[in-house]
């Protein structure tokens, strides 16, 4: 009768983000001990697993700014039953998307050629480096996203409320003070 | 028996004075109706459509609709909330609204309505328009990226300041806010930071320089309570007198 429930498998990653949302996630502090009773981690900076296997929940921080981001995002969408956009950059592109009104070549020229600092080094063109996209996109413009949690970053209490609602099978409801765009 | 006239708003009896609009009566009674282009000191504009309600089953903008005795008004229903959410989402993708780096964050009505309506995502595909800022004026910055075309600055500048500093140009998707100067720069107008037009922007377009982020997070107007609980802030007041040119 009381067979232990299977733990939910969770993967997390940061695309064009700053890992601030992951840091805020860790700010749930000792509540992480309650969380690991309920979930186990697949691909995540916490486990250092490089590729995502079949998961119940995928959490994406950051928008899509280069070709590798697209591949990682698609891998998550393919493997995760529920995909969550966490933080301002995943939700609307955030700070990286503020380059969107500029021409990509002009940006690269300015950073690597005309401005002091890196000038003279040339625009990086190593095959190892993923090519930047013309524009930075929020993740819902590339794959279907099931849930969104805005914030820069979302506060730890918001992440906790969101995850506990979701794990309990409820649609997460963020009351006043937990829903923030900044 | 009092002869006070009333109408029903979501089942609640709202008293009104003759000549008041549905919005004015609701706000006076402490009931908030979401809005962006309405301002207590200005004539209603009816353009943002956030305040759309159903009156006896028909949609109408509550900021322009005169209150009438016995009318039945629906505002806070699932259907209307969905429509308002879609309007906010369309405004969010049409401009460049990056709250974390905006000085108006925590003071912004568009943001506050997003919270109140539970807008978790902009949902639509972003336009990411190219709208250069105007930093020419010594005291005021114009960041057109956030303009929602409510025309409050236009109305304030012409109706109160007597200056006509702002205007809209273009049509449809190309409609945008401009500065009435041959150069198009705010510095080349008689605009001053003390003008009414500098005080009315509901979003972060018209910003006083050197004052950014003065109020700490936690103490900003929409930190303590949601905009939906702040109806008294928007109660109708007498219009500001027009300044002598």
């Amino acid at each position: 009768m009381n067979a232990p429930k299977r733990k939910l498998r969770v993967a997390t990653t940061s695309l064009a983000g700053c890992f601030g949302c992951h840091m805020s996630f860790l700010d749930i502090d000792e509540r992480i001990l309650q969380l690991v009773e309920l979930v186990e981690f697949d691909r995540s900076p916490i486990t250092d697993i490089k590729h995502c296997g079949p998961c119940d929940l995928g959490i994406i921080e950051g928008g899509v700014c280069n070709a590798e981001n697209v591949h990682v995002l698609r891998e998550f969408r393919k493997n995760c039953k529920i995909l969550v956009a966490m933080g301002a950059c995943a939700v609307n592109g955030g700070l990286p998307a503020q380059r969107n009104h500029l021409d990509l070549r002009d940006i690269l020229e300015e950073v690597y050629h005309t401005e002091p600092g890196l000038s003279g080094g040339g625009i990086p063109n190593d095959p190892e480096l993923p090519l930047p996209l013309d524009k930075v996109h929020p993740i819902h413009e590339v794959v279907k996203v099931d849930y969104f949690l805005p914030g820069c970053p979302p506060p730890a209490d918001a992440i906790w409320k969101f995850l506990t609602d979701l794990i309990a099978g409820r649609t997460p409801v963020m009351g006043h003070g937990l829903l923030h765009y900044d | 028996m009092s002869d006070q006239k009333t109408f029903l708003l979501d089942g609640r009896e709202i008293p009104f004075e003759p000549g008041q609009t549905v919005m004015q009566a609701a706000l006076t009674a402490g009931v908030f109706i979401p809005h962006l282009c309405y301002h207590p000191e200005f004539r209603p504009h009816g353009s943002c459509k956030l305040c759309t309600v159903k009156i006896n089953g028909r949609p109408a903008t509550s900021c322009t609709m005169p209150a009438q005795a016995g009318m039945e008004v629906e505002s806070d229903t699932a259907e209307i909330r969905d429509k308002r959410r879609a309007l906010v989402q369309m405004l969010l993708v049409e401009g460049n609204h990056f709250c974390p780096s905006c000085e108006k964050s925590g003071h912004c009505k568009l943001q506050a309505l997003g919270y109140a309506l539970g807008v978790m995502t902009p949902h639509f595909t972003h336009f990411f328009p190219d709208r250069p800022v105007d930093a020419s004026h010594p005291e005021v910055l114009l960041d057109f990226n956030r303009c929602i075309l409510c025309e409050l600055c236009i109305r304030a500048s012409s109706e109160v300041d007597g200056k006509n500093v702002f205007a809209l140009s273009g049509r449809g998707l190309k409609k945008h806010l401009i500065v009435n100067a041959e150069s198009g720069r705010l510095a080349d107008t008689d605009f001053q930071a003390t003008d009414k037009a500098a005080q009315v922007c509901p979003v972060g377009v018209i910003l006083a320089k050197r004052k950014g982020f003065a109020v700490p997070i936690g103490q900003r107007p929409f930190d303590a309570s949601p905009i939906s609980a702040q109806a008294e802030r928007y109660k109708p007041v007498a219009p500001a007198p027009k300044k002598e040119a």
Side-chain angles (χ1 to χ4, degrees):
Chain A
M1 286 294 280
N2 289 320
K5 280 187 187 163
R6 181 181 68 87
K7 282 189 179 180
L8 295 179
R9 207 160 167 84
V10 178
T12 77
T13 193
S14 178
L15 306 178
C18 69
F19 279 94
C21 296
H22 274 81
M23 296 307 291
S24 190
F25 175 38
L26 292 179
D27 279 340
I28 65 172
D29 297 333
E30 73 276 10
R31 287 173 286 187
I32 202 162
L33 298 174
Q34 284 172 260
L35 188 65
V36 293
E37 294 291 315
L38 303 167
V39 307
E40 57 189 4
F41 286 96
D42 193 283
R43 172 177 175 161
S44 167
I46 297 169
T47 60
D48 210 22
I49 295 172
K50 303 298 183 195
H51 286 280
C52 176
C55 284
D56 299 288
L57 181 61
I59 299 173
I60 309 281
E61 167 192 337
V64 180
C65 82
N66 64 32
E68 193 227 0
N69 293 157
V70 178
H71 291 298
V72 173
L73 181 58
R74 287 188 173 150
E75 177 183 297
F76 267 69
R77 179 66 279 184
K78 198 173 151 195
N79 283 287
C80 300
K81 290 181 193 160
I82 291 175
L83 198 64
V84 177
M86 182 164 78
C89 303
V91 169
N92 71 2
L95 186 137
Q98 293 191 44
R99 77 158 157 90
N100 281 355
H101 67 281
L102 302 169
D103 180 76
L104 181 59
R105 173 154 293 275
D106 290 348
I107 299 172
L108 293 170
E109 289 283 343
E110 186 167 331
V111 171
Y112 293 105
H113 280 154
T114 57
E115 289 297 303
L118 296 171
S119 64
I123 295 173
N125 192 23
D126 191 295
E128 288 278 307
L129 292 174
L131 288 172
L133 303 181
D134 182 37
K135 291 206 186 309
V136 179
H137 297 274
I139 66 168
H140 74 268
E141 293 183 9
V142 181
V143 297
K144 180 186 184 294
V145 177
D146 302 296
Y147 292 99
F148 298 82
L149 179 57
C152 185
D157 287 341
I159 296 173
W160 178 249
K161 171 81 163 62
F162 187 87
L163 288 177
T164 47
D165 276 1
L166 212 53
I167 291 166
R170 296 186 292 264
T171 299
V173 178
M174 300 286 113
H176 182 76
L178 292 181
L179 173 55
H180 269 288
Y181 302 157
D182 58 359
Chain B
M1 276 294 283
S2 145
D3 55 359
Q4 172 76 61
K5 290 183 171 163
T6 65
F7 63 89
L8 279 182
L9 174 57
D10 292 331
R12 182 177 155 180
E13 214 165 353
I14 306 287
F16 67 93
E17 302 299 328
Q20 271 190 324
T21 61
V22 171
M23 172 76 85
Q24 288 174 327
L27 291 171
T28 306
V31 180
F32 183 78
I33 298 177
H35 59 264
L36 285 167
C37 71
Y38 161 86
H39 187 287
E41 292 177 45
F42 290 89
R43 284 197 305 267
H45 198 247
S47 64
C48 78
K49 305 297 173 193
L50 254 291
C51 75
T52 300
V53 293
K54 271 192 177 176
I55 297 178
N56 300 333
R58 288 173 164 226
T61 45
S62 59
C63 72
T64 55
M65 180 60 83
Q68 286 168 41
M71 56 172 37
E72 286 184 27
V73 183
E74 294 168 64
S75 175
D76 196 23
T77 66
E79 181 197 348
I80 294 173
R81 274 198 303 276
D82 274 353
K83 293 210 161 91
R84 288 177 180 152
R85 206 174 289 127
L87 286 173
V88 169
Q89 287 170 326
M90 287 191 275
L91 287 171
L92 289 175
V93 299
E94 199 177 303
N96 292 311
H97 297 274
F98 296 109
C99 298
S101 53
C102 179
E103 295 173 24
K104 201 66 181 275
S105 191
H107 306 254
C108 170
K109 278 174 97 170
L110 180 64
Q111 183 192 59
L113 287 173
Y115 297 162
L117 294 164
V119 175
M120 305 297 281
T121 162
H123 179 77
F124 300 106
T125 299
H126 284 71
F127 289 21
F128 293 124
D130 181 12
R131 299 188 195 162
V133 302
D134 179 349
S136 62
H137 195 279
E139 292 168 351
V140 174
L141 169 74
L142 293 183
D143 190 336
F144 297 104
N145 288 290
R146 301 154 184 163
C147 183
I148 56 170
L149 308 176
C150 70
E151 300 189 33
L152 272 169
C153 58
I154 300 174
R155 290 182 271 162
S157 189
S158 66
E159 292 172 27
V160 181
D161 303 327
K163 290 186 180 178
N164 276 318
V165 169
F166 299 102
L168 290 186
S169 180
R171 290 178 73 82
L173 269 181
K174 291 183 178 157
K175 189 187 273 190
H176 61 286
L177 184 66
I178 56 163
V179 172
N180 270 333
E182 205 165 330
S183 64
R185 290 165 16 118
L186 192 63
D188 298 327
T189 67
D190 52 356
F191 186 79
Q192 289 175 299
T194 50
D195 285 356
K196 188 72 185 169
Q199 327 293 329
V200 292
C201 183
V203 292
V205 178
I206 304 175
L207 297 165
K209 288 186 176 177
R210 294 173 291 280
K211 282 187 183 162
F213 306 106
V215 183
I217 291 175
Q219 294 170 30
R220 301 169 305 179
F222 301 121
D223 284 334
S225 64
I227 190 169
S228 50
Q230 300 190 29
E232 75 286 352
R233 278 169 63 110
Y234 305 107
K235 271 192 214 173
V237 295
K242 186 161 181 168
K243 288 175 200 160
E244 293 305 319

